[in-house]
Amino acid sequence: YNYIWKSGKGLDKNQELQDLPPYLKNRMNLYLNKEIITKVPMFSKFKDDEAFITEIVKCLKSRVCLPNSFIVRKGEIGTEMYFISRGELNVVTDDEKVVFTLTDGGFFGEIALIYETKRTATIVARTYCDMFILTKDDFDDVKEKFPLQVAAIEEEAAERKRANQQKDQEKKEKEAAEKAAAAAAAAAAAAAAHARAEAIERHSSSLRKSSSGHDSSDKVPFSYNPQ
């Protein structure tokens, strides 16, 4: 609460707009938050569709997150998208290593608006963060009002999903081929080593036999002549 008070955010970033007439409130909301929406690729094509973007903006809910708080966890079912107004968040691995840092204007979780799917990464607030969230339920309400726009977004998301699945499949096939090649190379090396060992053993055996033959031919026959 101390951070909220000092930052001047209040419990809702746009709370000061609530007393304005609806039309003016929507215009101010659009002015304040349009950019953070249209930065998202799946919304950017509609940046000039004021009615659609305004409806998205109206659905945004503000959220303040404390440092070191978990925003999403890998494996959870996602039900909202996040827009970062101010702050830094870390994308971390299962062993809590930071692989990427999201900052002002960043976003994540957009696929949760289209599909009921698990989160693919864990995200932790690095600093105090002011964010907006757009829930799947609210986005479904937008879909009822703007079916053509949302249908276009869903089709684009489906194409990206197919492309990602194709990339994943190609990656798996490449990894499998590399493993097979490595296994074949290891087997070939082992076979070559075994063949060399056998050749050395045959050569050593031949030398031993040859040496044994020479030793017996050099010996003087023993004769016993009693007197």
Side-chain angles (χ1 to χ4, degrees):
Y1 288 108
N2 186 50
Y3 167 76
I4 295 173
W5 177 263
K6 288 184 177 180
S7 65
K9 294 293 179 183
L11 294 179
D12 187 338
K13 183 178 180 181
N14 299 316
Q15 190 171 358
E16 61 271 19
L17 305 179
Q18 298 306 310
D19 294 332
L20 295 176
Y23 173 78
L24 184 57
K25 179 173 67 175
N26 288 339
R27 296 293 299 177
M28 289 299 295
N29 265 325
L30 182 64
Y31 174 77
L32 291 171
N33 301 312
K34 178 181 179 180
E35 184 178 357
I36 201 170
I37 298 296
T38 55
K39 279 184 177 181
V40 181
M42 71 180 191
F43 294 134
S44 61
K45 65 171 64 177
F46 303 106
K47 63 182 179 181
D48 296 325
D49 189 337
E50 188 171 297
F52 177 64
I53 297 300
T54 297
E55 194 65 26
I56 295 290
V57 169
K58 286 165 60 178
C59 293
L60 297 180
K61 298 178 175 65
S62 64
R63 178 177 295 179
V64 174
C65 297
L66 302 177
N68 301 316
S69 59
F70 284 80
I71 311 304
V72 300
R73 294 178 184 270
K74 182 178 178 180
E76 294 178 339
I77 298 296
T79 58
E80 62 273 313
M81 177 183 181
Y82 294 80
F83 304 84
I84 305 169
S85 177
R86 183 169 65 179
E88 297 181 358
L89 300 99
N90 289 331
V91 181
V92 299
T93 61
D94 293 340
D95 56 357
E96 299 186 356
K97 291 183 180 179
V98 177
V99 296
F100 189 74
T101 299
L102 298 161
T103 57
D104 300 7
F107 58 89
F108 58 93
E110 65 272 23
I111 199 67
L113 300 180
I114 310 297
Y115 301 109
E116 183 176 324
T117 185
K118 293 180 180 180
R119 302 291 191 187
T120 58
T122 295
I123 299 180
V124 182
R126 181 176 178 272
T127 65
Y128 285 101
C129 295
D130 298 312
M131 295 190 293
F132 292 110
I133 62 170
L134 175 62
T135 68
K136 188 178 188 308
D137 288 342
D138 285 338
F139 189 68
D140 288 342
D141 290 340
V142 174
K143 181 178 179 178
E144 292 182 4
K145 298 177 181 178
F146 298 88
L148 295 179
Q149 289 89 332
V150 175
I153 289 173
E154 290 175 338
E155 177 57 30
E156 183 178 337
E159 290 178 2
R160 287 202 307 271
K161 185 177 181 180
R162 287 192 292 268
N164 289 335
Q165 288 174 336
Q166 180 64 28
K167 288 181 180 178
D168 290 341
Q169 182 62 29
E170 291 174 353
K171 182 179 179 181
K172 289 178 181 178
E173 290 176 355
K174 181 180 178 182
E175 290 175 348
E178 289 174 348
K179 287 181 180 179
H194 183 68
R196 286 195 300 271
E198 287 187 336
I200 292 171
E201 178 59 28
R202 286 195 299 269
H203 182 65
S204 298
S205 178
S206 176
L207 289 178
R208 287 194 297 271
K209 289 180 180 179
S210 175
S211 176
S212 176
H214 285 305
D215 289 344
S216 60
S217 63
D218 291 340
K219 290 180 180 179
V220 177
F222 174 77
S223 60
Y224 174 70
N225 296 314
Q227 298 294 328

